[in-house]
Amino acid sequence: MSDERKYVEELSDVEDDFDRWYVEVVRRAELADESPVRGTRVVRPYGFALWENMQAELDRRIKETGVQNAYFPLFIPQSMLAREAEHVEGFAPEVAWVTRGGNKELEEPWAVRPTSEAIICPMYARWVQSYRDLPILINQWNSVVRWEERPRAFLRSLEFLWQEGHTAHATLEEAEERTRLMLEVYRDFVETELAVPVIPGRKTESEKFAGALRTYTIEAMMGGKKWALQSGTSHNLGDHFGRVFGIEFLDRNGERRYAFNTSWGLSFRMVGAVIMVHGDDRGLKLPPRVAPIQVVIVPIWRKESEREAVEAAVDRVRDALLPVARVFVDRRDDKTPGWKFNEWELKGVPVRLEIGPRDVANDQVTLVRRDTHEKQAISITDLAGRITEILDDIQANLFAAASRMLAENTVEIDSYDVLKERVAANAGFSRAYWCGSEECEDRVKAETKATIRCIPFDQPEAPGRCLVCGEAAQQQVIWARAY
Amino acid sequence: MSDERKYVEELSDVEDDFDRWYVEVVRRAELADESPVRGTRVVRPYGFALWENMQAELDRRIKETGVQNAYFPLFIPQSMLAREAEHVEGFAPEVAWVTRGGNKELEEPWAVRPTSEAIICPMYARWVQSYRDLPILINQWNSVVRWEERPRAFLRSLEFLWQEGHTAHATLEEAEERTRLMLEVYRDFVETELAVPVIPGRKTESEKFAGALRTYTIEAMMGGKKWALQSGTSHNLGDHFGRVFGIEFLDRNGERRYAFNTSWGLSFRMVGAVIMVHGDDRGLKLPPRVAPIQVVIVPIWRKESEREAVEAAVDRVRDALLPVARVFVDRRDDKTPGWKFNEWELKGVPVRLEIGPRDVANDQVTLVRRDTHEKQAISITDLAGRITEILDDIQANLFAAASRMLAENTVEIDSYDVLKERVAANAGFSRAYWCGSEECEDRVKAETKATIRCIPFDQPEAPGRCLVCGEAAQQQVIWARAY
Ligand SMILES: [Zn+2]
Ligand SMILES: [Zn+2]
């Protein structure tokens, strides 16, 4: 593709055609690409570096709660996956099956893991004998496969990258505590590192994880169509899996009991969230804390005589910033500065430094923020001291903007007609009382395609009336369409 | 399992029954466990932490050479895997095939990747148009599947964890340079971090990677039977894959050319190497640089009245060491100190600190080295300052011991009868002249089960006579049995 053409075509308008904008920005910013394997995507280095930064930070937080990483097999024999009835019913339709290996037909098909409860729980059954062996706190980073014909980079694909945590406990209370703790780890991670505000809450019975006692979730609002993205879930599995897989132990009193389990996962769809929450007509806008490149330096000169002085200043600035920021110098000689500005804006780099002959003369750089487009001259001597504060300010500014978007597009309503209008108009989240019946839930879903994203933890004091049937309702829920 | 019984049974003798010792130490040190999925193993947290430390260090070194990480799909459609003839011939017999997905039969089976050349090269063909798009330097950390009925934890399993690097270049010379560079990265990593000395060299035609122009390897000598372990390989693929997958570009002169590729991998079999090279009758002996726990603290008291002072000293020591070492305090109250000493020796922790009432009284700790069993009293004040030096000394000592083992069990020979005896006696590596014919190579393999591990880079000046046929030979090779 000709480089010049690439920027002559503008990106699709964010508001006009958000879905198309998403596809274009993913491709042009080189986050991911099509793949010859139907249903999958290739994650390119720039997209993967973003995910690696997320991984490093989330991994650190998970480990701080006492969890260790491990690795369990990719394959799960069919009979093992089938042991927990609800679980297999939920996942079987999406499974990829290995039926041949080493030139032989297998006696029993092997599932490529859609999630690992059914292979991890049998191991826990071997490792747990006594209450002293509990809790078990294990996480793994891997890829899982769920059949998907219409992939969308990061958001929905046949294979996706995630972490899945699996714990076993002596009591239901302890399992509940862990389930909520991990949801809080997710909330803090997503809000602090990705600058994406979320609404934490519980899933309804019909939306919970297959086989779980209860599922908690954090739900974020995406830009454009203001749809919801389920951003991390944490499941209290009760003792369902403990009973089915025989995770038995002797408690302090010598009584035989079944262990209680939790599982929780967060996937690279959060790369999609970062794109959709912060992006604009110029492309990505990456939160500094996870941006692969935080500061890009573009050297500028016209005459060969200016070159040496500019390059010396560029080196000096880069060396000063390296200890405090992830810096990249764009030295390509076949691209104009203007072209580079566009490209790094498209790629969402938080800070651009332009260094030209006039900057050199004044011992300064021209700093341009990706979030505000604000331009300022900063003396080279002050730069290293100020850059951290500027990056922090950009991070805070992105979070504030996303929080405003969430607040402005979340409305408390008490009329089903209004819900229908809001959903049809892509107007955002609607908060309303719900009686708790699956019938009302199903009806709204069938009639509007909106679902209950969660029953938020944050609830009003007073009860109300169900938006759909008008019956007494104890709690409010968030209705929205979701990716 | 009863804890007491666990240590009443001694480990099998390293020299007597090395294979059994290996299995026991892997299980008892909780590095890995059996799995309900035939051919696979579960990597437990202690084993995975060891692998994570290796990963972090190797990843850093790989990135320092300009390589970026990315992620390509797990599945490769059959027709795509079949495009490079030698490649598919080499891997097809070991492939696991997905034939059903989402409740439908697939039109074409998908291979679970045995290695990723066949899915990565088609992407490079899309990304490369001009010499300016080269080189492409990408690595990925993933798991691959090669059918295996007789697994051996870390060394041989149906699914294994590794990194696979894939690069594309404008010239064969540049590809060769990269191939050798990555072998050197592996050599330095394995020797420096794992304290395992290796012999770098080239594979023979019959031992090279399926589809490669040439394969380089580092070969290590394991303890016990003194067999070889191929520890990392780096392949110059020439333009075979470039031609087959159409990685075409316009060079500086506007001429259409095919790109040259390399690939290189190192797997978690290096966890196996660490076990087998350094272990002894008491269990593991982990190199401090990758040990999950570098220093274990065992508090000791008999009377409850001693407890408080001991615990205060333990906390003080731990806090002092945390900034300089990976420390763990074994506070379990249902195990005796003696039991704990055995367990941490089994788990190979480089340094044990015993803190009892007498230590407290003298403001000291009793430090025991895992490598020499040497015991010394060290004042608490000096400890943090000395621990780094002690850990470095242990690392150096392990490397020196392994280097002696390699040197003492590598012999230059000029008689095929001696080779047969040495192989039968598990006497180590035999270095001998080889004429270069596949016939001699095959004959030795058939008659002794030894193979040419590599043609070492380090060669004598003078030519000689082939060990097998007596013909003129330009080079020496290393003969050995291998895992
Ligand atoms: Zn209702
Ligand atoms: Zn010969």
Side-chain angles (χ1 to χ4, degrees):
Chain A
M1 166 178 20
S2 142
D3 284 337
E4 293 307 325
R5 213 189 66 211
K6 192 167 164 186
Y7 287 108
V8 172
E9 298 170 40
E10 289 288 314
L11 279 173
S12 292
D13 188 85
V14 174
E15 294 301 324
D16 270 10
D17 192 344
F18 191 63
D19 292 345
R20 200 172 146 199
W21 171 89
Y22 182 83
V23 170
E24 288 172 2
V25 89
V26 163
R27 180 175 54 77
R28 290 216 212 154
E30 299 187 341
L31 295 172
D33 202 353
E34 310 277 312
S35 140
V37 186
R38 202 186 50 209
T40 71
R41 288 287 181 266
V42 169
V43 184
R44 301 188 70 172
Y46 194 62
F48 198 81
L50 181 54
W51 173 237
E52 270 184 319
N53 289 343
M54 293 185 190
Q55 275 190 292
E57 190 50 42
L58 182 58
D59 190 67
R60 189 182 67 69
R61 286 162 192 254
I62 290 172
K63 283 178 175 157
E64 267 180 11
T65 73
V67 174
Q68 295 179 297
N69 288 336
Y71 191 76
F72 295 84
L74 170 65
F75 300 126
I76 307 176
Q78 187 172 35
S79 55
M80 196 165 278
L81 187 66
R83 280 168 73 180
E84 215 288 336
E86 282 179 52
H87 189 65
V88 68
E89 201 183 307
F91 285 104
E94 302 182 345
V95 166
W97 295 101
V98 172
T99 61
R100 266 195 293 139
N103 283 333
K104 288 196 294 269
E105 295 294 317
L106 302 195
E107 285 165 28
E108 175 189 25
W110 286 359
V112 181
R113 65 179 164 226
T115 177
S116 299
E117 282 77 5
I119 183 76
I120 289 180
C121 289
M123 297 309 299
Y124 286 6
R126 294 176 61 151
W127 297 339
V128 174
Q129 321 289 330
S130 139
Y131 70 94
R132 287 188 181 278
D133 301 322
L134 293 169
I136 299 186
L137 308 173
I138 287 181
N139 177 56
Q140 73 177 350
W141 292 92
N142 59 13
S143 79
V144 290
V145 170
R146 298 180 190 171
W147 210 259
E148 178 58 63
E149 304 272 359
R150 294 158 307 126
R152 205 167 171 73
F154 302 112
L155 296 180
R156 197 172 56 218
S157 55
L158 189 143
E159 180 188 8
F160 59 89
L161 300 176
W162 76 344
Q163 60 68 220
E164 46 175 324
H166 298 267
T167 69
H169 305 268
T171 67
L172 181 61
E173 294 65 38
E174 203 185 299
E176 179 68 12
E177 204 177 302
R178 170 60 60 172
T179 313
R180 291 291 293 262
L181 172 65
M182 298 321 293
L183 192 79
E184 175 56 19
V185 166
Y186 289 159
R187 187 204 59 74
D188 187 55
F189 163 73
V190 170
E191 296 196 333
T192 308
E193 303 297 327
L194 312 186
V196 171
V198 295
I199 299 176
R202 191 156 62 80
K203 285 287 185 189
T204 65
E205 286 301 299
S206 68
E207 296 276 340
K208 75 183 186 187
F209 180 76
L213 185 64
R214 63 183 80 95
T215 289
Y216 298 108
T217 180
I218 49 173
E219 300 281 327
M221 181 186 285
M222 301 298 102
K225 297 187 289 181
K226 311 289 183 292
W227 286 17
L229 188 76
Q230 178 178 302
S231 300
T233 50
S234 186
H235 319 292
N236 183 337
L237 305 175
D239 61 3
H240 302 173
F241 287 81
R243 286 177 184 275
V244 164
F245 291 98
I247 313 177
E248 273 187 293
F249 68 97
L250 291 180
D251 71 10
R252 280 171 199 275
N253 309 315
E255 310 237 352
R256 193 159 284 284
R257 304 194 50 183
Y258 289 106
F260 297 86
N261 293 93
T262 83
S263 67
W264 24 277
L266 183 144
S267 82
F268 73 178
R269 68 184 345 212
M270 293 319 289
V271 173
V274 163
I275 300 167
M276 290 195 291
V277 169
H278 304 302
D280 66 13
D281 285 334
R282 298 193 191 183
L284 300 175
K285 219 188 276 168
L286 298 183
R289 293 180 69 117
V290 290
I293 299 170
Q294 295 172 313
V295 178
V296 64
I297 304 176
V298 179
I300 302 170
W301 69 81
R302 284 223 176 69
K303 294 173 246 161
E304 194 59 29
S305 61
E306 297 164 340
R307 178 174 181 157
E308 198 174 331
V310 166
E311 285 194 337
V314 163
D315 288 348
R316 216 177 111 213
V317 169
R318 185 206 52 201
D319 292 348
L321 290 182
L322 272 179
V324 290
R326 294 186 285 273
V327 186
F328 180 77
V329 181
D330 187 349
R331 298 189 197 273
R332 287 174 292 177
D333 57 9
D334 62 324
K335 301 277 185 284
T336 64
W339 196 97
K340 293 178 183 180
F341 298 167
N342 281 332
E343 175 163 89
W344 295 114
E345 285 185 349
L346 171 65
K347 289 194 155 192
V349 173
V351 167
R352 175 174 85 232
L353 301 181
E354 305 170 7
I355 304 182
R358 206 161 44 164
D359 297 302
V360 173
N362 295 327
D363 204 39
Q364 69 177 33
V365 301
T366 302
L367 182 150
V368 186
R369 284 172 62 140
R370 174 64 180 87
D371 60 338
T372 57
H373 308 301
E374 187 197 341
K375 240 182 176 163
Q376 51 187 309
I378 300 189
S379 94
I380 292 182
T381 324
D382 294 347
L383 188 60
R386 292 207 37 209
I387 202 75
T388 305
E389 157 198 334
I390 292 169
L391 291 170
D392 286 351
D393 192 64
I394 294 172
Q395 182 86 21
N397 189 36
L398 292 183
F399 185 70
S403 300
R404 272 195 308 278
M405 174 176 77
L406 175 60
E408 285 167 7
N409 296 284
T410 301
V411 173
E412 194 171 327
I413 59 171
D414 56 8
S415 144
Y416 185 26
D417 283 340
V418 172
L419 178 62
K420 285 180 184 164
E421 282 162 26
R422 285 180 54 77
V423 174
N426 284 328
F429 292 4
S430 300
R431 197 174 167 123
Y433 281 97
W434 172 58
C435 63
S437 86
E438 214 162 297
E439 207 183 317
C440 290
E441 191 181 8
D442 289 348
R443 182 176 157 202
V444 174
K445 191 173 176 178
E447 292 177 355
T448 71
K449 294 189 184 160
T451 50
I452 297 179
R453 301 316 306 155
C454 71
I455 306 160
F457 293 145
D458 177 26
Q459 289 285 342
E461 298 267 313
R465 303 243 152 235
C466 177
L467 182 80
V468 188
C469 67
E471 295 294 317
Q474 301 307 313
Q475 55 199 357
Q476 292 189 340
V477 298
I478 303 288
W479 293 100
R481 290 201 63 173
Y483 286 94
Chain B
M1 166 179 18
S2 142
D3 283 337
E4 293 305 328
R5 213 191 65 211
K6 190 168 166 187
Y7 287 109
V8 172
E9 301 170 37
E10 290 287 315
L11 279 174
S12 293
D13 189 86
V14 174
E15 295 301 325
D16 271 10
D17 193 343
F18 190 64
D19 290 345
R20 202 172 145 201
W21 171 89
Y22 182 82
V23 169
E24 288 173 2
V25 90
V26 163
R27 182 175 51 79
R28 291 217 213 153
E30 300 187 340
L31 294 173
D33 202 354
E34 310 277 313
S35 141
V37 185
R38 202 186 51 208
T40 71
R41 289 287 181 265
V42 169
V43 185
R44 301 188 69 170
Y46 195 62
F48 198 81
L50 181 54
W51 174 236
E52 270 184 318
N53 289 343
M54 293 185 190
Q55 274 190 293
E57 191 49 44
L58 182 57
D59 191 66
R60 192 184 65 70
R61 286 162 194 252
I62 290 172
K63 284 177 176 156
E64 268 181 12
T65 72
V67 173
Q68 294 179 296
N69 288 337
Y71 191 77
F72 295 84
L74 170 64
F75 300 125
I76 308 176
Q78 187 172 34
S79 55
M80 197 166 277
L81 187 65
R83 279 169 73 179
E84 213 287 335
E86 282 178 52
H87 188 66
V88 68
E89 201 183 308
F91 286 105
E94 303 183 345
V95 166
W97 295 100
V98 172
T99 61
R100 265 195 296 137
N103 282 333
K104 286 196 295 268
E105 296 294 318
L106 302 195
E107 287 167 26
E108 173 189 25
W110 286 358
V112 182
R113 63 180 164 224
T115 178
S116 300
E117 281 78 4
I119 182 75
I120 290 180
C121 289
M123 297 309 299
Y124 285 7
R126 293 176 61 153
W127 297 339
V128 174
Q129 320 289 329
S130 138
Y131 70 93
R132 287 188 181 276
D133 300 322
L134 293 169
I136 299 185
L137 309 173
I138 287 181
N139 177 55
Q140 74 177 350
W141 292 92
N142 59 13
S143 80
V144 290
V145 169
R146 298 179 190 171
W147 209 258
E148 178 58 62
E149 302 274 355
R150 295 159 304 127
R152 204 167 173 74
F154 302 113
L155 296 180
R156 197 172 57 218
S157 56
L158 190 142
E159 180 187 8
F160 60 88
L161 300 175
W162 76 343
Q163 57 69 218
E164 47 175 321
H166 297 268
T167 69
H169 304 268
T171 66
L172 181 61
E173 294 65 39
E174 204 186 299
E176 178 68 13
E177 203 178 303
R178 171 59 61 173
T179 312
R180 291 292 294 264
L181 172 65
M182 298 321 293
L183 191 80
E184 174 57 18
V185 166
Y186 289 159
R187 187 203 60 73
D188 186 55
F189 163 73
V190 170
E191 297 197 333
T192 307
E193 303 298 326
L194 312 186
V196 171
V198 295
I199 299 176
R202 191 156 62 80
K203 286 285 186 190
T204 64
E205 286 301 298
S206 67
E207 296 278 339
K208 74 182 187 190
F209 179 77
L213 185 65
R214 64 182 80 95
T215 288
Y216 298 107
T217 181
I218 50 173
E219 300 282 325
M221 180 186 285
M222 301 297 102
K225 297 188 289 182
K226 311 290 184 291
W227 287 16
L229 188 76
Q230 178 178 302
S231 300
T233 48
S234 186
H235 318 292
N236 183 338
L237 305 175
D239 61 0
H240 303 172
F241 287 80
R243 285 176 185 277
V244 164
F245 290 98
I247 312 176
E248 273 186 294
F249 68 97
L250 290 179
D251 71 10
R252 279 170 198 275
N253 309 317
E255 311 237 352
R256 191 160 287 283
R257 305 195 47 182
Y258 289 106
F260 297 85
N261 293 93
T262 81
S263 67
W264 24 277
L266 183 143
S267 82
F268 75 177
R269 68 183 344 210
M270 293 320 290
V271 172
V274 163
I275 300 167
M276 292 195 288
V277 169
H278 303 302
D280 65 15
D281 285 335
R282 299 193 191 183
L284 299 176
K285 220 187 276 169
L286 298 183
R289 294 180 70 116
V290 291
I293 300 172
Q294 296 173 312
V295 179
V296 65
I297 304 176
V298 180
I300 302 171
W301 68 83
R302 283 222 178 69
K303 297 173 241 161
E304 194 60 26
S305 61
E306 297 164 342
R307 179 174 179 156
E308 199 175 330
V310 167
E311 287 196 336
V314 164
D315 287 349
R316 216 178 111 212
V317 169
R318 186 208 49 200
D319 292 349
L321 291 182
L322 272 180
V324 289
R326 294 185 286 272
V327 186
F328 180 75
V329 181
D330 186 349
R331 299 188 197 274
R332 285 175 294 178
D333 57 9
D334 62 324
K335 301 277 185 285
T336 64
W339 196 96
K340 292 177 182 178
F341 298 168
N342 281 333
E343 174 162 90
W344 295 114
E345 284 186 349
L346 171 66
K347 288 194 157 192
V349 174
V351 166
R352 175 174 85 232
L353 301 182
E354 305 170 8
I355 304 182
R358 203 158 47 162
D359 296 303
V360 173
N362 294 327
D363 204 39
Q364 68 177 32
V365 302
T366 301
L367 181 149
V368 185
R369 284 172 63 141
R370 174 65 182 87
D371 59 339
T372 58
H373 307 301
E374 186 197 341
K375 240 184 176 164
Q376 52 186 310
I378 300 188
S379 94
I380 293 183
T381 325
D382 294 348
L383 188 61
R386 289 204 40 206
I387 201 74
T388 305
E389 160 198 332
I390 292 169
L391 291 170
D392 286 351
D393 192 62
I394 294 173
Q395 183 86 22
N397 190 34
L398 292 183
F399 185 70
S403 299
R404 273 196 306 278
M405 173 175 80
L406 176 61
E408 285 167 8
N409 296 285
T410 301
V411 172
E412 195 172 325
I413 60 170
D414 56 9
S415 144
Y416 185 26
D417 283 340
V418 172
L419 178 63
K420 285 179 184 163
E421 282 163 28
R422 285 180 54 78
V423 175
N426 283 329
F429 291 5
S430 301
R431 197 176 166 121
Y433 280 96
W434 171 58
C435 64
S437 86
E438 213 162 297
E439 208 182 317
C440 290
E441 190 181 8
D442 289 348
R443 184 177 155 201
V444 173
K445 191 171 175 179
E447 291 177 355
T448 72
K449 293 191 184 158
T451 50
I452 297 178
R453 302 316 306 156
C454 72
I455 304 160
F457 293 146
D458 177 24
Q459 289 286 341
E461 297 265 313
R465 303 242 151 238
C466 178
L467 182 79
V468 188
C469 66
E471 294 295 315
Q474 301 307 314
Q475 56 198 356
Q476 291 188 340
V477 297
I478 303 287
W479 292 99
R481 289 201 64 171
Y483 287 93

